[in-house]
Amino acid sequence: MEGGAYGAGKAGGAFDPYTLVRQPHTILRVVSWVFSIVVFGSIVNEGYLNSPSESEEFCVYNRNPNACGYGVTVGVLAFLTCLLYLALDVYFPQISSVKDRKKAVLSDIGVSAFWAFLWFVGFCYLANQWQVSKPKDNPLNEGTDAARAAIAFSFFSIFTWSLTAALAVRRFKDLTFQEEYNTLFPASAQP
């Protein structure tokens, strides 16, 4: 990927899946994608319990439906965001405009930092609601492993999204200065 801008090769190059899979930000995105599946999957599958004495299901996190709702919502939206940015990673080498590449990298920085924050809030919220849950609400400890898994993978997601943002910042800083070079020397930029 020599001579490219914002961490990509020359625009219009052939798609190379091997190179895509070996990039650290792509690996982190796939890991974040898997973590989001674990979080929303564990809450959806075992995060709601129903008592024989009640007709409605209740959330395993202190009977707080907002806690389960937050975990599922953040998990599903993070899943979709990972898919969107994986598609952008595939399409990124085909972007010919340096300004468009810059916008893509800047959006990656902002979105990744935002998701790190949302996962931090989610971890704190789920851990707090789990801590104040009453044992009498769940005497058989149903769904406890799933609840703990959602909390743990929310915690891990903070780091994967933070690292993704840091890699995007590094990608932004490791410019080839093609944009500046073209601005300073417009005649030499053309063949």
Side-chain angles (χ1 to χ4, degrees):
M1 294 206 176
E2 297 173 24
Y6 295 94
K10 299 257 185 205
F15 173 67
D16 184 15
Y18 182 68
T19 303
L20 176 71
V21 171
R22 290 183 46 216
Q23 293 176 346
H25 61 274
T26 304
I27 294 168
L28 278 172
R29 251 187 259 292
V30 170
V31 170
S32 297
W33 181 67
V34 170
F35 287 177
S36 68
I37 291 172
V38 170
V39 171
F40 81 79
S42 60
I43 293 174
V44 166
N45 284 333
E46 295 185 33
Y48 293 95
L49 302 174
N50 50 347
S51 171
S53 60
E54 300 175 30
S55 61
E56 255 185 65
E57 292 182 327
F58 61 91
C59 179
V60 72
Y61 296 102
N62 194 29
R63 291 183 166 256
N64 185 350
N66 294 329
C68 285
Y70 185 86
V72 170
T73 302
V74 168
V76 169
L77 291 177
F79 171 82
L80 295 173
T81 303
C82 285
L83 289 180
L84 175 73
Y85 276 90
L86 280 171
L88 181 64
D89 287 343
V90 169
Y91 180 67
F92 193 76
Q94 305 303 319
I95 301 173
S96 60
S97 170
V98 175
K99 289 183 180 186
D100 290 341
R101 286 183 179 193
K102 184 178 180 179
K103 289 177 187 175
V105 173
L106 286 173
S107 76
D108 190 12
I109 293 169
V111 168
S112 297
F114 177 69
W115 277 105
F117 171 73
L118 287 180
W119 281 116
F120 175 73
V121 170
F123 166 72
C124 293
Y125 188 36
L126 293 177
N128 175 267
Q129 291 301 304
W130 181 249
Q131 180 184 8
V132 297
S133 295
K134 298 167 192 67
K136 67 178 178 108
D137 288 339
N138 189 7
L140 299 176
N141 289 329
E142 296 173 280
T144 56
D145 291 338
R148 289 183 185 127
I151 292 169
F153 282 93
S154 293
F155 181 72
F156 300 149
S157 292
I158 297 167
F159 296 105
T160 58
W161 284 99
S162 297
L163 282 172
T164 304
L167 285 175
V169 168
R170 189 184 76 175
R171 193 174 177 188
F172 185 74
K173 286 183 178 180
D174 290 343
L175 304 175
T176 61
F177 298 102
Q178 181 177 355
E179 183 178 36
E180 289 81 4
Y181 185 82
N182 290 345
T183 303
L184 294 172
F185 306 104
S188 62
Q190 299 173 3

